[in-house]
Amino acid sequence: MQIRESAENYLETIYILQRRNGSVRSVDIVNELSFSKPSVSIAMKNLRENGYIDMAPNGLITLTKEGEKIARTMYERHTLISDWLVRLGVDPKTAVQDACRIEHVISAESFDAIKKHAGE
């Protein structure tokens, strides 16, 4: 199943928030991304229905095995590409913005080549 870029961004954000805070609720995602509550609610419903997240009755959100796999992939791509661009002399803010776009379209083959070249 092909996953949309927006879903990848949500999963990556959940992953980052879990690492940072230990737990995640929809309001944390709203605050992190500056999205509206209804938008995040719809996205969480879609992610849950597609098997990428679980939501506990108390509102805690956790990634499923498949959701975490995608989130880790996006996070690794984002951090490696943005760090690599900075080392090449790109302004850090620009590097982060560009990495956010690149991470969703780069092939696994090209990413692995960059990873190997960057010494990761």
Side-chain angles (χ1 to χ4, degrees):
M1 175 183 191
Q2 184 76 17
I3 185 168
R4 293 181 183 260
E5 181 178 328
S6 62
E8 290 174 342
N9 282 333
Y10 276 111
L11 293 172
E12 182 182 11
T13 299
I14 294 166
Y15 179 75
I16 291 166
L17 289 169
Q18 279 181 336
R19 289 174 50 116
R20 185 188 313 152
N21 304 334
S23 63
V24 181
R25 295 178 188 272
S26 291
V27 69
D28 301 321
I29 299 165
V30 167
N31 293 332
E32 184 75 13
L33 298 176
S34 299
F35 290 170
S36 72
K37 288 180 184 180
S39 294
V40 171
S41 179
I42 290 168
M44 294 306 103
K45 178 180 182 258
N46 290 335
L47 291 174
R48 188 179 68 250
E49 288 176 351
N50 286 300
Y52 297 118
I53 65 167
D54 289 319
M55 291 187 75
N58 65 359
L60 289 179
I61 299 167
T62 55
L63 295 166
T64 63
K65 187 175 180 178
E66 184 62 24
E68 185 169 351
K69 179 181 172 186
I70 294 166
R72 283 179 181 266
T73 298
M74 292 301 105
Y75 182 74
E76 179 188 30
R77 287 180 177 192
H78 183 91
T79 55
L80 188 135
I81 292 169
S82 61
D83 291 348
W84 184 60
L85 290 171
V86 168
R87 286 195 307 268
L88 291 173
V90 176
D91 174 76
K93 185 177 179 181
T94 301
V96 167
Q97 291 170 344
D98 288 347
C100 194
R101 289 190 293 270
I102 294 167
E103 72 190 52
H104 301 286
V105 296
I106 193 168
S107 69
E109 179 183 1
S110 293
F111 179 72
D112 288 342
I114 290 171
K115 190 174 173 179
K116 183 178 177 183
H117 180 74
E120 299 291 324

